[in-house]
Coordinates of all heavy atoms in Angstrom, one line a residue:
T39 N 11.6 -10.4 20.3 CA 12.1 -9.1 19.7 C 12.0 -9.3 18.2 O 11.3 -10.1 17.7 CB 13.6 -8.8 20.2 OG1 14.4 -10.0 19.8 CG2 13.6 -8.6 21.7
A40 N 12.8 -8.5 17.5 CA 12.7 -8.4 16.0 C 12.8 -9.7 15.3 O 12.0 -9.9 14.3 CB 13.7 -7.3 15.5
P41 N 13.7 -10.6 15.6 CA 13.8 -11.8 14.8 C 12.4 -12.6 14.8 O 12.0 -13.1 13.8 CB 14.9 -12.6 15.4 CG 15.8 -11.6 15.9 CD 14.9 -10.5 16.5
H42 N 11.8 -12.6 16.0 CA 10.5 -13.2 16.0 C 9.4 -12.4 15.3 O 8.6 -13.0 14.5 CB 10.0 -13.4 17.5 CG 10.5 -14.7 18.1 ND1 11.7 -14.8 18.8 CD2 9.9 -15.9 18.2 CE1 11.8 -16.0 19.2 NE2 10.7 -16.7 18.9
A43 N 9.5 -11.1 15.5 CA 8.5 -10.2 14.8 C 8.6 -10.4 13.3 O 7.5 -10.3 12.6 CB 8.7 -8.8 15.2
M44 N 9.7 -10.6 12.8 CA 10.0 -10.8 11.3 C 9.7 -12.2 10.8 O 9.6 -12.4 9.6 CB 11.4 -10.4 11.0 CG 11.7 -8.9 11.3 SD 13.5 -8.5 11.1 CE 13.7 -8.7 9.3
S45 N 9.6 -13.1 11.7 CA 9.6 -14.5 11.3 C 8.2 -15.1 10.8 O 8.2 -16.0 10.0 CB 10.1 -15.4 12.4 OG 9.1 -15.5 13.5
Y46 N 7.2 -14.5 11.3 CA 5.9 -15.2 11.1 C 5.5 -15.3 9.6 O 5.1 -16.4 9.2 CB 4.8 -14.4 11.9 CG 5.1 -14.4 13.4 CD1 5.5 -13.2 14.0 CD2 5.0 -15.6 14.1 CE1 5.8 -13.3 15.4 CE2 5.3 -15.6 15.5 CZ 5.7 -14.4 16.1 OH 6.0 -14.4 17.4
K47 N 5.6 -14.2 8.9 CA 5.3 -14.3 7.4 C 6.3 -15.1 6.7 O 5.9 -15.8 5.7 CB 5.1 -12.9 6.8 CG 4.6 -12.9 5.4 CD 3.3 -13.7 5.3 CE 2.1 -12.8 5.2 NZ 0.9 -13.6 5.0
L48 N 7.5 -15.1 7.1 CA 8.5 -16.0 6.5 C 8.1 -17.5 6.6 O 8.2 -18.2 5.7 CB 9.9 -15.8 7.1 CG 10.7 -14.6 6.7 CD1 12.0 -14.5 7.6 CD2 11.1 -14.6 5.3
S49 N 7.6 -17.8 7.8 CA 7.1 -19.2 8.0 C 6.0 -19.5 7.1 O 6.0 -20.6 6.4 CB 6.7 -19.4 9.5 OG 7.8 -19.3 10.3
S50 N 5.0 -18.7 7.0 CA 3.8 -19.0 6.2 C 4.1 -18.9 4.7 O 3.6 -19.7 3.9 CB 2.6 -18.2 6.6 OG 2.8 -16.8 6.3
L51 N 4.8 -17.9 4.3 CA 5.0 -17.6 2.9 C 6.0 -18.7 2.2 O 5.8 -19.1 1.1 CB 5.6 -16.2 2.7 CG 5.7 -15.7 1.3 CD1 4.3 -15.6 0.6 CD2 6.3 -14.3 1.3
Y52 N 7.0 -19.1 3.0 CA 8.0 -20.0 2.4 C 7.9 -21.4 3.1 O 8.8 -22.2 2.9 CB 9.4 -19.4 2.6 CG 9.5 -18.1 1.9 CD1 9.7 -17.0 2.7 CD2 9.5 -18.0 0.5 CE1 9.8 -15.7 2.1 CE2 9.6 -16.8 -0.1 CZ 9.7 -15.6 0.7 OH 9.8 -14.4 0.1
S53 N 6.9 -21.7 3.8 CA 6.7 -23.0 4.5 C 7.9 -23.4 5.3 O 8.4 -24.5 5.3 CB 6.4 -24.1 3.5 OG 5.2 -23.8 2.7
A54 N 8.4 -22.4 6.0 CA 9.6 -22.6 6.9 C 9.1 -22.8 8.3 O 8.3 -22.1 8.8 CB 10.5 -21.4 6.8
P55 N 9.7 -23.8 9.0 CA 9.3 -23.9 10.4 C 9.7 -22.6 11.2 O 10.6 -21.9 10.8 CB 10.3 -25.1 10.9 CG 10.6 -25.8 9.7 CD 10.6 -24.8 8.6
H56 N 8.9 -22.4 12.2 CA 9.1 -21.1 13.0 C 10.5 -20.9 13.4 O 11.1 -19.8 13.3 CB 8.1 -21.1 14.2 CG 8.3 -19.9 15.0 ND1 8.0 -18.6 14.6 CD2 8.7 -19.7 16.3 CE1 8.2 -17.7 15.5 NE2 8.7 -18.4 16.6
G57 N 11.1 -21.9 14.0 CA 12.5 -21.8 14.5 C 13.5 -21.5 13.4 O 14.4 -20.7 13.6
H58 N 13.2 -22.1 12.3 CA 14.1 -21.8 11.1 C 14.0 -20.4 10.7 O 15.0 -19.7 10.4 CB 13.6 -22.8 10.0 CG 14.4 -22.6 8.7 ND1 15.0 -23.7 8.1 CD2 14.7 -21.6 7.9 CE1 15.6 -23.3 7.0 NE2 15.4 -22.0 6.9
A59 N 12.7 -19.9 10.6 CA 12.5 -18.5 10.2 C 13.1 -17.5 11.2 O 13.8 -16.5 10.8 CB 11.0 -18.2 10.1
V60 N 13.0 -17.8 12.5 CA 13.7 -16.9 13.5 C 15.2 -17.0 13.3 O 15.9 -15.9 13.3 CB 13.3 -17.3 14.9 CG1 14.1 -16.5 15.9 CG2 11.8 -17.1 15.1
A61 N 15.7 -18.1 13.1 CA 17.2 -18.3 13.0 C 17.7 -17.6 11.8 O 18.8 -17.0 12.0 CB 17.5 -19.8 12.9
V62 N 17.1 -17.5 10.7 CA 17.7 -16.8 9.5 C 17.5 -15.3 9.7 O 18.3 -14.6 9.1 CB 17.1 -17.3 8.2 CG1 17.4 -18.8 7.9 CG2 15.6 -17.0 8.0
C63 N 16.6 -14.9 10.5 CA 16.5 -13.4 10.8 C 17.5 -13.0 11.8 O 18.0 -11.8 11.7 CB 15.1 -13.1 11.3 SG 13.8 -13.3 10.1
M64 N 17.9 -13.9 12.7 CA 18.7 -13.5 13.8 C 20.0 -12.8 13.5 O 20.4 -11.7 14.0 CB 19.0 -14.7 14.7 CG 19.7 -14.5 16.0 SD 18.6 -13.5 17.0 CE 19.6 -13.4 18.5
P65 N 20.9 -13.4 12.6 CA 22.2 -12.7 12.3 C 22.0 -11.3 11.7 O 22.8 -10.5 12.0 CB 22.8 -13.7 11.3 CG 22.1 -14.9 11.3 CD 20.7 -14.7 11.9
K66 N 21.0 -11.1 10.9 CA 20.8 -9.8 10.2 C 20.4 -8.8 11.3 O 21.0 -7.7 11.3 CB 19.7 -9.9 9.2 CG 20.0 -10.8 8.0 CD 21.2 -10.5 7.3 CE 21.4 -11.5 6.1 NZ 22.8 -11.6 5.7
V67 N 19.5 -9.1 12.2 CA 19.1 -8.2 13.2 C 20.2 -8.0 14.2 O 20.5 -6.9 14.6 CB 17.8 -8.8 13.9 CG1 17.5 -7.9 15.1 CG2 16.7 -8.8 13.0

């Protein structure tokens, strides 16, 4: 869902591991 959809560019732009990027999106969504 949305946290994953939002995570991909966060991972590449900020060199964040995928799970980390999903995790920081999760509470907002």
Side-chain angles (χ1 to χ4, degrees):
T39 58
H42 271 89
M44 296 172 68
S45 71
Y46 301 109
K47 188 51 102 177
L48 285 172
S49 289
S50 64
L51 191 60
Y52 302 110
S53 300
H56 175 65
H58 181 128
V60 174
V62 298
C63 291
M64 187 67 176
K66 302 298 182 202
V67 173

